[in-house]
Amino acid sequence: QVQFVESGGGLVRPGGSLRLSCTTSGFALKWAVMAWYRQPPGAARELVASITAAGGTDVALDVKGRFTISRDNAKKVVDLQMRSLKPEDSAVYYCNIRPPRESYWGQGTQVTVSS
């Protein structure tokens, strides 16, 4: 069965960096458009960044220039490098395909940006 396992979250101060990883299994990653999403407290889940099978990327305007998505098909991993983090980046971060499939949501990884 398909599994996406997110890791790398934590508590970081404003201006800091984190690198999130999504490890996939039971899934033909190399053909998929993958994405990172986040859900802030009390808010809806939103798209953060996506990457096509060919490596083309797209990021949300509020993270542009700070977040970078990448993939390693051989390792079956999709990463999200986050820099210059702000308190408003605090959320649970998830990976999924784009558009997302309900059954593919994992547990997510919590990112908290606070001084």
Side-chain angles (χ1 to χ4, degrees):
Q1 91 226 33
V2 174
Q3 268 197 313
F4 296 155
V5 178
E6 301 90 352
S7 63
L11 173 64
V12 63
R13 293 188 176 185
S17 299
L18 281 175
R19 187 176 185 89
L20 307 184
S21 286
C22 171
T23 302
T24 71
S25 59
F27 181 73
L29 176 66
K30 67 177 182 178
W31 306 115
V33 179
M34 295 297 296
W36 279 94
Y37 302 81
R38 67 185 180 187
Q39 187 165 20
R45 197 146 31 193
E46 60 188 20
L47 176 68
V48 175
S50 63
I51 184 166
T52 68
T57 62
D58 187 28
V59 295
L61 280 176
D62 58 348
V63 304
K64 202 171 185 69
R66 300 188 298 121
F67 289 13
T68 303
I69 187 171
S70 61
R71 64 194 295 157
D72 186 330
N73 292 334
K75 294 181 179 178
K76 299 189 176 183
V77 169
V78 180
D79 287 345
L80 184 69
Q81 177 68 52
M82 306 187 295
R83 298 182 175 88
S84 302
L85 282 160
K86 304 175 181 180
E88 52 264 43
D89 295 318
S90 296
V92 180
Y93 284 71
Y94 303 87
C95 66
N96 205 319
I97 59 174
R98 182 181 182 185
R101 184 168 292 183
E102 191 63 31
S103 61
Y104 289 177
W105 292 117
Q107 294 300 306
T109 186
Q110 175 72 50
V111 172
T112 303
V113 185
S114 174
S115 54

